[in-house]
Amino acid sequence: MPKNKKGKRGSNKAGKNGVKGESGASDDDLASEVLSHYSSASETASVLEEGPGTEPVDEQTAQEETEDKLKQCIDNLMDKSAKTRLAALESLRQAFSSRQLYDFLLERRLTLSDCLERSLRKGGGEEQAAAAVLCALLCVQLGGGDEGEEGFRILRPVLSSILSDASANIAARQSCATALGMCCYVSASEDAEDLVKSLSNLESVFTCSYPNREGILPTPKPGAPGLYCAALQAWALLVTLCPASHLNTLLDVHLPKLQACLECSDVHYRIAVGETIALLFELGRDIDRDFQYDDCDALCETLKGLATDGNKHRAKNDRRKQRSIFREVLHYIENEDFTEEKIRFGLEGIYIDSWMRRRIYDAFKLVLESGVRHHLQYNQLLRDIFELGPPLILDASVKASRISRFEKHLYNSAAFKARTKLRNKVRDKRADVM
């Protein structure tokens, strides 16, 4: 994939949930204050429009007070109490996922990275899992510039160490897999060393689900399918960055093994495997229009079975989701058909019109959760990745006005033309850097 991730960074707003501070306030009280301050700071325009008798909110004061609360959360990451550290991690997670904090974090990134590294090395399983999530969010906040790369270089060794440690807490390993994939994707430099190492770390986890020499799938330990799923999805995200020469090797090695994993017992892992197979086919066809997979007929038969699975032993929702996903995978492999989806946010939207685009969007959605739409609107990193351009600047009158049907038609027509033009382009050949 062309290196289009790096760009300008966003503004400094923050989010919710807090921890007990020096004043003796409870975790919930501090969380409420953080939320309240940001609500008042971000909605100043609407407050000012409420009419006479309403006292204007001092946005600068509200922002400074909120940043004080966030500073307290960062300080609490070094507290002796595990409960206090966990509360701080959760408060910062919600703040990072729901707001833009680049300016605030820029001067505190090394302190925060050191705190997260300490939690990962010395904390219990729950704390390690929470710290790993915050590592991913920190990289998304800092973006793909030197600051993001610097943070990733600090955190990658400990994330990889926990991920590869079979004795570590499985939830912590799962969070580390997701964080390693996201941090590497956001921060990967022109030097491919970090990408190769991260791919290898992730492969060492999910390949444990591969069949043995006799073709028999191993019996997974409790919690293992969730770990395999996280590692495979993080790996698939990084595969979208691979140059053609390395991608050809990955296709040869992994497609037959992943095909065998379609027979595994866990529905969520089967779905992750199916989506990864479709992504690999798409990338293979992208570098070679005549791409062929030797065992394609058998693969399609397996996919047909999964797309029509009526096994009553599976939960109804699981059966429905599996059938839907595998119908899409089958249609793509047989006919190169992909079911488009449009994600709307504010006055804008992005088209999910390929397996690669879906994997990238799903990865950010997993990390940012409900905050993904806010970041699509204001985070320059995501706007660069999804080719949205600079954030829209709308005054209060534009925000309040409704768009006419004709204006919507013009907007949709322009978006459709741009999307069609983009899809008809032949993607740039990947630089052979591996």
Side-chain angles (χ1 to χ4, degrees):
M1 187 175 92
K3 295 283 291 184
N4 65 347
K5 302 194 300 297
K6 300 183 180 180
K8 299 176 184 176
R9 283 358 144 223
S11 59
N12 54 339
K13 299 179 182 177
K16 38 187 173 177
N17 281 10
V19 294
K20 187 174 181 181
E22 294 176 357
S23 63
S26 69
D27 298 344
D28 291 339
D29 289 341
L30 185 52
S32 178
E33 287 183 60
V34 172
L35 275 173
S36 174
H37 286 308
Y38 264 117
S39 177
S40 62
S42 62
E43 298 173 8
T44 302
S46 62
V47 171
L48 292 176
E49 293 168 359
E50 288 178 1
T54 302
E55 184 177 345
V57 174
D58 185 339
E59 185 173 352
Q60 182 65 32
T61 301
Q63 180 174 310
E64 289 174 356
E65 290 178 353
T66 303
E67 290 186 355
D68 287 341
K69 303 299 179 184
L70 293 173
K71 291 173 188 175
Q72 182 63 58
C73 289
I74 294 174
D75 289 343
N76 285 351
L77 293 178
M78 295 175 277
D79 196 274
K80 292 182 179 180
S81 167
K83 183 179 179 181
T84 300
R85 294 196 303 273
L86 278 170
L89 288 166
E90 174 59 15
S91 299
L92 292 170
R93 181 193 70 79
Q94 295 204 31
F96 287 15
S97 64
S98 61
R99 300 291 178 182
Q100 280 290 95
L101 293 163
Y102 176 77
D103 292 339
F104 174 80
L105 291 172
L106 185 61
E107 59 191 53
R108 298 171 179 84
R109 65 189 187 279
L110 295 180
T111 298
L112 187 53
S113 295
D114 288 343
C115 290
L116 293 176
E117 184 181 23
R118 186 182 298 109
S119 287
L120 287 166
R121 292 191 185 281
K122 299 183 178 181
E126 187 179 1
E127 183 176 344
Q128 288 177 319
V133 171
L134 203 60
C135 289
L137 287 167
L138 178 61
C139 283
V140 172
Q141 287 280 349
L142 293 176
D146 293 340
E147 298 86 3
E149 290 179 25
E150 180 183 41
F152 180 51
R153 292 287 168 85
I154 293 171
L155 296 169
R156 186 185 66 78
V158 65
L159 290 172
S160 300
S161 175
I162 295 171
L163 174 63
S164 303
D165 183 359
S167 65
N169 178 278
I170 202 158
R173 296 179 70 196
Q174 187 170 327
S175 290
C176 285
T178 300
L180 182 63
M182 178 56 69
C183 293
C184 184
Y185 181 80
V186 169
S187 309
S189 64
E190 298 302 328
D191 179 3
E193 182 181 357
D194 287 333
L195 176 61
V196 173
K197 287 181 178 178
S198 297
L199 283 167
S200 178
N201 289 142
L202 293 163
E203 284 176 6
S204 69
V205 174
F206 71 80
T207 53
C208 293
S209 69
Y210 282 3
N212 60 23
R213 292 181 179 179
E214 288 74 37
I216 300 172
L217 292 173
T219 302
K221 298 178 181 178
L227 174 60
Y228 298 155
C229 191
L232 179 62
Q233 290 173 333
W235 178 84
L237 176 67
L238 296 185
V239 166
T240 66
L241 298 177
C242 287
S245 60
H246 193 65
L247 186 56
N248 282 323
T249 302
L250 295 178
L251 291 170
D252 292 340
V253 171
H254 291 283
L255 267 179
K257 302 293 187 181
L258 288 171
Q259 179 181 342
C261 288
L262 291 172
E263 306 288 349
C264 73
S265 59
D266 185 84
V267 63
H268 301 293
Y269 188 50
R270 280 199 305 276
I271 289 172
V273 168
E275 291 176 329
T276 303
I277 289 173
L279 173 65
L280 293 177
F281 264 77
E282 180 177 271
L283 294 173
R285 288 166 173 167
D286 194 46
I287 59 176
D288 180 4
R289 292 304 304 167
D290 297 322
F291 170 77
Q292 296 290 333
Y293 174 53
D294 292 339
D295 204 18
C296 194
D297 290 342
L299 173 60
C300 288
E301 285 301 313
T302 301
L303 293 173
K304 287 175 184 176
L306 292 168
T308 57
D309 184 11
N311 192 328
K312 299 297 183 181
H313 295 293
R314 307 193 206 282
K316 187 176 182 179
N317 287 338
D318 287 347
R319 293 201 307 272
R320 185 184 297 115
K321 184 177 181 181
Q322 175 180 283
R323 288 196 296 265
S324 175
I325 293 294
F326 282 106
R327 279 196 297 269
E328 289 188 59
V329 174
L330 180 62
H331 289 162
Y332 178 75
I333 290 176
E334 287 186 330
N335 307 311
E336 297 191 41
D337 288 340
F338 183 87
T339 305
E340 285 188 359
E341 178 185 6
K342 185 175 182 181
I343 309 296
R344 288 183 170 85
F345 47 94
L347 299 178
E348 302 174 276
I350 57 171
Y351 284 94
I352 306 300
D353 55 5
S354 68
W355 289 101
M356 181 173 75
R357 209 164 169 85
R358 177 182 285 183
R359 175 85 298 272
I360 295 168
Y361 174 76
D362 285 349
F364 280 102
K365 185 179 179 182
L366 177 64
V367 171
L368 295 167
E369 297 181 342
S370 61
V372 67
R373 281 177 166 79
H374 175 86
H375 281 265
L376 283 168
Q377 284 183 278
Y378 302 111
N379 186 321
Q380 191 61 52
L381 169 71
L382 271 72
R383 296 187 69 83
D384 285 347
I385 290 171
F386 291 103
E387 300 171 315
L388 290 164
L392 297 182
I393 301 175
L394 302 175
D395 61 29
S397 62
V398 174
K399 289 180 179 178
S401 66
R402 298 188 63 177
I403 302 174
S404 69
R405 285 190 176 184
F406 180 66
E407 288 172 321
K408 286 183 179 179
H409 171 72
L410 292 178
Y411 170 79
N412 290 332
S413 296
F416 178 79
K417 289 178 182 178
R419 175 172 53 92
T420 302
K421 184 178 179 181
L422 180 63
R423 292 186 67 195
N424 287 340
K425 284 183 181 179
V426 178
R427 283 183 57 211
D428 295 336
K429 294 292 182 181
R430 295 175 175 83
D432 205 359
V433 297
M434 291 195 180

